[in-house]
Amino acid sequence: ATDIECVGGIQLYGVPIRAGAEIVGAINIGYGDPPTEDDALRQLANNFGVDVADLRQQANKYESRPSFIIAQAKKSLHRSARIIGEIVSRSRLEKKLFSAQQAAESATRAKSEFLANMSHEIRTPLNGLMGMLQLLKTTSIDQEQSDFIDHGLQSSRRLLRLLTDILDLS
């Protein structure tokens, strides 16, 4: 925070607004007594392109504030700057969290699509294999060949159940 002496006798008290370590803005108040001398008023009127009579009228209307009021206003300014900074920090954090949530949801969708495709790609040849084993079993084969086919069908069913369980789990 800083006090700045401005042209014309008014002072400016400025407080930076911080969001974390970054300064994102400033908030300030003006106080003090404006000049009432003719030379100073003419110079100000000339500098700012205003009518000297209007400036004199404004200077005469201005009421000085006691120092304890100025001190209280400065304290309030610090609190306001801190609160605004916290709001900015929170808003930035919420935006980051929203982006992270969107990325996580996108990854979940991609995973689900991948698993659905993999399920189809694995089940199709496995069902074809089981179908061929079942057809082979209807041909004229001996008992040993029939046992081999049964083992192949049993293993295929186990593999199909395992695939279904994995997909259900994920």
Side-chain angles (χ1 to χ4, degrees):
T2 187
D3 268 306
I4 301 168
E5 184 75 32
C6 299
V7 175
I10 299 295
Q11 291 193 340
L12 186 67
Y13 184 73
V15 178
I17 298 171
R18 298 179 187 275
E22 181 185 359
I23 295 176
V24 295
I27 187 170
N28 60 59
I29 57 169
Y31 66 97
D33 295 324
T36 54
E37 305 84 34
D38 286 339
D39 287 343
L41 286 173
R42 271 194 296 279
Q43 184 180 0
L44 279 174
N46 186 41
N47 287 346
F48 293 105
V50 295
D51 182 53
V52 72
D54 288 341
L55 193 58
R56 182 176 290 112
Q57 183 181 14
Q58 293 297 323
N60 289 333
K61 282 187 193 177
Y62 186 81
E63 296 178 20
S64 292
R65 304 291 186 263
S67 60
F68 73 91
I69 297 273
I70 301 297
Q72 185 60 40
K74 287 179 177 181
K75 286 180 186 176
S76 294
L77 207 59
H78 280 273
R79 279 192 304 272
S80 297
R82 181 183 49 79
I83 290 169
I84 292 168
E86 288 171 3
I87 291 169
V88 169
S89 292
R90 183 180 176 122
S91 175
R92 288 178 173 179
L93 181 60
E94 286 174 355
K95 286 179 183 176
K96 285 181 184 177
L97 287 173
F98 181 74
S99 293
Q101 179 185 12
Q102 294 294 333
E105 288 172 357
S106 177
T108 298
R109 278 191 301 276
K111 178 194 77 159
S112 295
E113 290 172 11
F114 172 78
L115 289 174
N117 286 338
M118 288 308 298
S119 171
H120 175 73
E121 295 299 322
I122 294 172
R123 285 173 196 246
T124 300
L126 187 56
N127 284 329
L129 178 63
M130 289 174 68
M132 292 306 291
L133 287 172
Q134 290 167 352
L135 281 175
L136 185 58
K137 190 154 172 95
T138 63
T139 63
S140 58
I141 54 173
D142 64 28
Q143 185 59 43
E144 185 180 22
Q145 291 170 328
S146 179
D147 289 343
F148 290 155
I149 292 171
D150 287 339
H151 286 301
L153 283 169
Q154 185 180 15
S155 295
S156 296
R157 286 186 193 104
R158 261 193 241 126
L159 185 57
L160 195 55
R161 271 195 311 276
L162 178 63
L163 177 62
T164 300
D165 290 347
I166 289 171
L167 292 172
D168 287 346
L169 180 64
S170 62

